[in-house]
């Protein structure tokens, strides 16, 4: 009887549609509650529940597919390769084919501005024959080099003039060589020497000495003897124009030629090429000057003193002697302008404290008030025009202060003279109050006797 009921119930479940399955579920629930199920009925009920769960999964997936299709229809053309049911997300690096493990593409090595993964080594690509830049002669080998355009005449002068002017300040020939290597002078290379000589003709004797040294150091490295000869040929042709600014240009150019030949910057046969072939009187004067200097100094290897030893290159004893002579001539003539010119010609602004020292010592050793007033006037003039700075003035007076005990051995009244001279210089605004107050006072006071009332012995 129980088996018949189970079969009847099974047949009913086959006939009853899915929509009416809830009736059978209630009946099964009543049977479960009543505890009247047999093992066959229990197994049949479990199979029915599994089938019901599968149907629910199918319905939910069909709804999501219809939703994704409607969304993809609304988007512009969508992604044809993306799997169904997934809406493409911008900047998504995951695979859209529905395959793989969900890792980024190319292992994270791809992307904008990225060559590849770290440590990846690429093979050398073979040159493409169809490439418009393919070179049959080089067989695909590309050589890269920095090309500096050649300077024309206008750009050459604008570039070379600052280099030469800076060289007159620092005097380092190696720096000039380094700057010339960075330039592409081309066939105008020889014009660097002519421009340097032309600029030095308008300058001082120290500038001409530096130019001669520069020409000596450039030959064999940046310039050749033929380049130097072409440069001096050009200067000889331009000599009439150079004389408009420098009337002594022929004599100076002759000294340049003689110095260059002695320094082996010019060939020895340079002067021989012009014998009997010069029509310009100025050029002939320059060549004659060079020939005379070379004949006088035939025993010497170099004409090192052709420009004189300039500025700080002179020995200290020589500079002291020149300053002493300058001050003595000033005490005789009283010309401040001439003394100023002589001091400027020495070109030693760092050594002007020696002039102050020598001037004060001359005041201490002099007799009368004439030297005191004249030296004060000279120092005041140099102070106003800025020829002697505060540091040089203070240093000169301080040197006298330090040596005053020794000077007092030769000049007994050195302290009193020094005090009066510093007071006068302070009144004329030559020195500062601090420098005047730092003047050492008189040493031990000597009295006539114990009963003289404390009078100081004169």
């Amino acid at each position: 009887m129980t088996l018949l009921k189970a079969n009847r119930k099974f047949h009913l479940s086959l006939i009853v549609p899915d929509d009416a399955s809830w009736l059978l579920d209630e009946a099964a629930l009543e049977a479960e509650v009543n505890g009247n199920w047999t093992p066959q009925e229990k197994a049949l009920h479990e199979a029915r529940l599994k089938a019901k769960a599968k149907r629910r999964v199918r319905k939910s997936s069909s709804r999501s597919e219809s939703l994704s299709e409607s969304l993809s229809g609304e988007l512009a053309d969508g992604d044809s390769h993306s799997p169904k049911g997934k809406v493409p997300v911008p900047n998504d690096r995951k695979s859209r084919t529905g395959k793989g493990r969900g890792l980024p593409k190319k292992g994270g090595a791809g992307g904008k501005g990225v060559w590849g993964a770290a440590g990846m080594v690429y093979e050398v690509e073979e040159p493409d024959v169809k490439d418009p830049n393919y070179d049959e002669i080089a067989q695909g080998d590309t050589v890269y080099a920095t090309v500096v355009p050649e300077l024309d005449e206008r750009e050459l002068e604008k570039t070379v003039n600052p280099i030469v002017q800076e060289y007159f300040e620092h005097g380092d020939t190696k720096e000039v060589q380094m700057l010339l290597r960075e330039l592409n002078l081309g066939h105008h290379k020889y014009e660097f020497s002519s421009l340097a000589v032309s600029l030095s003709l308008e300058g001082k004797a120290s500038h001409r000495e530096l130019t001669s040294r520069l020409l000596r150091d450039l030959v064999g490295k940046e310039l050749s003897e033929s380049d130097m000869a072409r440069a001096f040929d050009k200067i000889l042709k331009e000599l009439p124009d150079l004389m408009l600014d420098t009337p002594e240009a022929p004599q100076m150019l002759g000294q340049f030629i003689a110095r260059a030949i002695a320094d082996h910057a010019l060939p020895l046969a340079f002067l021989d090429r012009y014998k009997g072939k010069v029509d310009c009187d100025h050029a002939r004067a320059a060549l004659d000057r060079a020939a005379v200097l070379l004949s006088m100094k035939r025993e010497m290897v170099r004409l090192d003193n052709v420009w004189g030893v300039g500025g700080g290159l002179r020995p200290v004893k020589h500079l002291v002697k020149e300053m002493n002579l300058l001050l003595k001539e000033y005490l005789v003539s009283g010309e401040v302008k001439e003394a100023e010119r002589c001091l400027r010609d020495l070109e030693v602004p760092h050594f002007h404290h020696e002039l102050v020292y020598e001037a004060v010592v001359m005041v201490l050793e002099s007799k009368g008030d004439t030297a005191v007033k004249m030296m004060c006037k000279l120092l005041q003039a140099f102070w106003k025009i800025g020829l002697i700075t505060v540091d040089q003035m203070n240093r000169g007076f301080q040197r006298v202060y330090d040596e005053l005990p020794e000077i007092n051995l030769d000049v007994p009244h050195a302290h009193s003279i020094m005090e009066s001279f510093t007071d006068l210089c302070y009144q004329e605004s030559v020195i500062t109050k601090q420098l005047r107050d730092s003047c050492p006072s008189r040493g031990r006071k000597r009295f006539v006797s114990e009963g003289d009332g404390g009078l100081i012995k004169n």
Side-chain angles (χ1 to χ4, degrees), residues 5 12 15 40 44 54 56 63 72 79 155-156 166-167 171 185 199 210 218 290 294 312 322 325 338 393 420-421:
K5 288 181 179 179
L12 288 173
I15 298 171
Q40 292 83 358
L44 184 62
K54 289 182 179 180
R56 290 178 178 175
R63 289 193 189 118
S72 61
D79 189 1
E155 295 179 353
L156 178 65
E166 290 179 3
Y167 169 69
L185 301 180
L199 290 175
L210 290 173
L218 289 180
L294 290 173
E322 291 289 334
L325 183 60
E338 181 65 18
M393 188 73 72
S420 61
F421 183 69

Side-chain angles (χ1 to χ4, degrees), residues 396-445:
F397 272 88
Q398 192 63 45
R399 286 179 58 190
V400 180
Y401 293 166
D402 297 338
E403 298 180 8
L404 198 57
E406 298 179 2
I407 299 175
N408 193 34
L409 298 177
D410 299 328
V411 184
H413 302 286
H415 285 89
S416 59
I417 298 174
M418 190 68 194
E419 289 178 0
S420 61
F421 183 69
T422 52
D423 289 338
L424 179 61
C425 291
Y426 173 71
Q427 294 175 4
E428 299 294 336
S429 301
V430 177
I431 61 175
T432 61
K433 181 180 179 182
Q434 183 180 2
L435 184 61
R436 185 201 65 175
D437 296 340
S438 62
C439 177
S441 60
R442 182 180 301 181
R444 182 177 60 89
K445 295 181 175 63

Side-chain angles (χ1 to χ4, degrees), residues 49 51 61 85 153 165 185 234 291 294 439:
L49 292 177
S61 63
E153 294 183 1
Q165 294 293 347
L185 301 180
K234 181 181 179 182
L294 290 173
C439 177

Side-chain angles (χ1 to χ4, degrees), residues 83-292:
K84 294 182 178 181
K86 294 184 179 180
V87 180
V89 180
N91 301 327
D92 186 12
R93 296 175 61 84
K94 293 185 178 180
S95 175
R96 290 173 173 77
T97 59
K99 300 179 182 180
R101 296 174 296 169
L103 300 177
K105 295 188 299 182
K106 301 180 184 179
K112 182 178 180 181
V114 180
W115 287 92
M120 184 178 295
V121 180
Y122 294 93
E123 297 180 357
V124 180
E125 296 183 0
E126 294 295 333
D128 188 6
V129 182
K130 297 181 181 180
D131 190 352
N133 296 326
Y134 178 77
D135 190 0
E136 296 181 357
I137 300 176
Q139 297 180 357
D141 296 336
T142 304
V143 179
Y144 297 95
T146 303
V147 179
V148 180
E150 182 179 347
L151 297 177
D152 55 9
E153 294 183 1
R154 296 181 181 177
E155 295 179 353
L156 178 65
E157 186 175 356
K158 293 180 180 178
T159 307
V160 169
N161 285 353
I163 295 176
V164 177
Q165 294 293 347
E166 290 179 3
Y167 169 69
F168 289 158
E169 298 295 332
H170 57 73
D172 189 1
T173 58
K174 293 183 179 180
E175 184 175 350
V176 179
Q177 295 177 16
M178 181 184 65
L179 294 175
L180 290 181
R181 289 170 189 167
E182 298 177 356
L183 300 176
N184 184 11
L185 301 180
H187 60 281
H188 298 290
K189 185 184 296 185
Y190 72 95
E191 295 187 9
F192 174 82
S193 302
S194 62
L195 289 173
V197 173
S198 300
L199 290 175
S200 64
L201 292 177
E202 301 175 0
K204 306 176 183 178
S206 59
H207 295 169
R208 292 186 282 274
E209 174 66 24
L210 290 173
T211 304
S212 296
R213 295 182 183 181
L214 179 62
L215 299 181
R216 178 193 64 196
D217 294 342
L218 289 180
V219 171
K221 297 177 181 178
E222 303 300 328
L223 301 174
S224 61
E225 290 186 358
S226 60
D227 294 333
M228 200 66 65
R230 291 182 62 187
F232 278 99
D233 291 340
K234 181 181 179 182
I235 300 174
L236 286 171
K237 295 178 181 178
E238 297 176 353
L239 198 54
D241 296 335
L242 295 175
M243 290 184 62
L244 298 177
D245 298 327
T246 310
E248 299 177 357
Q251 290 76 18
M252 293 181 181
L253 183 57
Q255 295 177 197
F256 265 115
I257 294 174
R259 176 69 178 271
I261 294 175
D263 290 341
H264 304 287
L266 277 176
L268 295 174
F270 180 79
L271 295 177
D272 298 336
R273 296 186 308 174
Y274 285 96
K275 286 184 178 180
K277 301 179 182 179
V278 181
D279 297 332
C280 180
D281 296 335
H282 305 300
R284 188 182 300 109
L287 295 172
D288 293 341
R289 175 69 172 171
V292 170

